[in-house]
Amino acid sequence: MKIRFYSPKSCLNPSVAYYIPFLFPFWGKKERANISAFDAGRFDGWVESGNSYFQLVDSIEECDIVVLPYEWRKDYIMAFDLAKVANEFHKPFILFFNSDSTEEIPIDNAIIFRTSAFKSKIKNNEYGLPAWYSDLGKNYLNGNFKPKNKNDVPVIGYAGYIDYRNYWEYFKYISRYVRHPSLDQTAVRLRGICVRNMSRSHLVRTNFYLRSGCHTGTANLNERKEFVQCILDSDYSLVCRGGGNFSYRLYEILSLGKIPVFIDTDCLLPYDQMIDWKSFCLWVDKKDISKIDMIVSEYHSRISNQEFIRMQIRARQVYDDWLSPTGFYRNIRQCIPGLECHTNNHGNIISI
């Protein structure tokens, strides 16, 4: 049965340039101007299928849920007004927040889906939201996913920005930190520690393309292809948070059916009460990154080739069923009181 939702266009005004991707099947696709051509089709599947799962209605009386039509911003009074109306009609109020910010959202009756949060600090009404660029398995491999066999020595891939790559960049990094101590250096520092640890190690082989800056999402086509090829040529790919406490890279890796080496920085992950993330990710707690090469090596030696292949298949399956735009949106009923069901849309058990 379709979920009927109410999302009034009257909440939009010239200061709200974009409405949320959830609404693309109903109001038309409206991508942000800075998205690269390589990633422009990231919501096409949802545009084609959204009407199969949801129905836009004209009045709040008809709906099952009320949806804020734009990303949360605390200075937009319309969010508070719409939340108040939803509460008066006893309707669940849904809002989405794709942002680096971990700020508190002061709407008590909201069901919040957000990319960036610290899991240990979230409220009971907050859930993880995937961060989407394109489905690389579809766009780059034309959907022809084939798991690879296990190597004797694990190959770890990473293409991206770290704190510094050499002594000259080290002094620039330190100088920048001294001049701007308020800058959050967590992401590049953690990535740098992981990369340097594995680069020096004899326990793993590395496949690194280290960048001079953060270009993800706006990179040129050659860089994007190199990024994808790095993931494909590796057994595992390093995933560590960006400016917010989440990673776009995680979902790109899973869309290729590859295994992330996930650095857990107290992250809030989508459907983490229903998905066994550790069954297809190699998990490393932030406090253990100084020995990441040993953790990867020991894990790799412990699993069989069959298990290694199964993790890759599971990664792509979970992306399709739960983490792609279509998979994610069609399952949000799991988080909405009164709309929950205990199977996914294929009738399979939830825990992967």
Side-chain angles (χ1 to χ4, degrees):
M1 181 180 295
K2 294 182 182 181
I3 298 175
R4 296 165 299 176
F5 75 96
Y6 174 65
S7 189
K9 280 190 174 181
S10 59
C11 283
L12 299 175
N13 63 43
S15 65
V16 182
Y18 295 95
Y19 45 81
I20 55 176
F22 174 81
L23 291 168
F24 288 180
F26 311 96
W27 292 358
K29 187 170 74 168
K30 191 173 184 179
E31 285 278 20
R32 296 182 183 274
N34 65 344
I35 196 70
S36 71
F38 194 79
D39 298 299
R42 57 187 173 158
F43 295 111
D44 287 355
W46 173 240
V47 171
E48 296 170 3
S49 64
N51 282 283
S52 300
Y53 305 103
F54 292 87
Q55 177 185 350
L56 176 62
V57 297
D58 296 327
S59 68
I60 196 168
E61 291 89 350
E62 301 173 76
C63 75
D64 300 307
I65 61 174
V66 178
V67 178
L68 184 68
Y70 56 84
E71 298 279 356
W72 160 256
R73 277 186 57 170
K74 61 185 176 183
D75 56 333
Y76 289 165
I77 193 67
M78 298 88 75
F80 296 93
D81 292 342
L82 188 59
K84 182 179 178 180
V85 173
N87 196 44
E88 291 171 353
F89 280 86
H90 306 289
K91 304 289 186 177
F93 178 61
I94 314 299
L95 66 83
F96 298 94
F97 189 34
N98 182 357
S99 170
D100 287 351
S101 173
T102 58
E103 69 185 75
E104 181 179 354
I105 298 177
I107 301 182
D108 292 337
N109 67 310
I111 298 173
I112 300 163
F113 295 94
R114 62 187 306 162
T115 49
S116 187
F118 294 101
K119 186 176 180 180
S120 62
K121 298 180 180 180
I122 61 168
K123 298 179 180 178
N124 291 333
N125 62 333
E126 293 182 295
Y127 301 91
L129 173 67
W132 292 299
Y133 281 131
S134 65
D135 179 343
L136 297 179
K138 179 180 178 181
N139 288 3
Y140 193 81
L141 299 178
N142 297 316
N144 297 319
F145 162 65
K146 292 181 181 179
K148 65 182 293 186
N149 289 315
K150 179 184 168 187
N151 288 308
D152 292 335
V153 178
V155 179
I156 314 298
Y158 176 75
Y161 177 46
I162 63 172
D163 46 2
Y164 57 88
R165 299 172 296 177
N166 50 50
Y167 285 115
W168 171 243
E169 289 185 356
Y170 170 75
F171 288 117
K172 288 176 63 178
Y173 169 76
I174 294 299
S175 173
R176 181 168 178 259
Y177 182 75
V178 169
R179 285 184 287 113
H180 305 284
S182 62
L183 289 177
D184 187 349
Q185 303 288 315
T186 303
V188 293
R189 181 175 56 82
L190 291 179
R191 293 175 187 176
I193 293 171
C194 292
V195 164
R196 286 186 288 276
N197 171 287
M198 291 186 286
S199 296
R200 293 190 295 260
S201 177
H202 65 280
L203 298 175
V204 300
R205 291 167 48 206
T206 59
N207 182 30
F208 294 158
Y209 295 80
L210 303 181
R211 310 289 191 201
S212 60
C214 182
H215 303 145
T216 304
T218 57
N220 63 45
L221 186 58
N222 287 334
E223 280 192 4
R224 285 296 278 159
K225 287 182 176 179
E226 188 176 71
F227 171 81
V228 175
Q229 198 61 49
C230 175
I231 298 170
L232 293 175
D233 291 342
S234 305
D235 299 316
Y236 306 91
S237 290
L238 178 66
V239 174
C240 187
R241 60 163 288 179
N245 195 32
F246 69 99
S247 171
Y248 282 93
R249 182 185 305 264
L250 172 62
Y251 305 97
E252 294 173 306
I253 291 167
L254 294 175
S255 77
L256 287 165
K258 305 296 288 186
I259 303 169
V261 176
F262 181 75
I263 309 303
D264 184 16
T265 52
D266 194 19
C267 295
L268 175 65
L269 292 172
Y271 299 124
D272 59 356
Q273 298 300 313
M274 295 166 255
I275 294 173
D276 181 7
W277 280 84
K278 293 182 181 179
S279 68
F280 53 90
C281 294
L282 199 168
W283 209 263
V284 180
D285 192 277
K286 183 181 79 169
K287 70 179 186 301
D288 296 324
I289 60 173
S290 63
K291 52 185 179 181
I292 187 173
D293 59 327
M294 290 186 288
I295 293 172
V296 172
S297 177
E298 290 173 5
Y299 183 90
H300 188 71
S301 64
R302 189 169 65 245
I303 63 172
S304 66
N305 185 60
Q306 185 178 15
E307 289 172 315
F308 182 70
I309 290 173
R310 188 160 55 239
M311 287 181 71
Q312 296 169 69
I313 295 171
R314 196 174 294 151
R316 179 65 211 193
Q317 177 192 357
V318 172
Y319 180 83
D320 277 334
D321 292 348
W322 290 90
L323 303 174
S324 66
T326 299
F328 177 79
Y329 286 133
R330 72 186 177 193
N331 279 301
I332 64 169
R333 66 169 64 237
Q334 309 292 344
C335 305
I336 302 173
L339 297 180
E340 312 98 318
C341 66
H342 299 291
T343 58
N344 65 22
N345 289 281
H346 306 287
N348 299 324
I349 60 172
I350 290 169
S351 183
I352 302 298

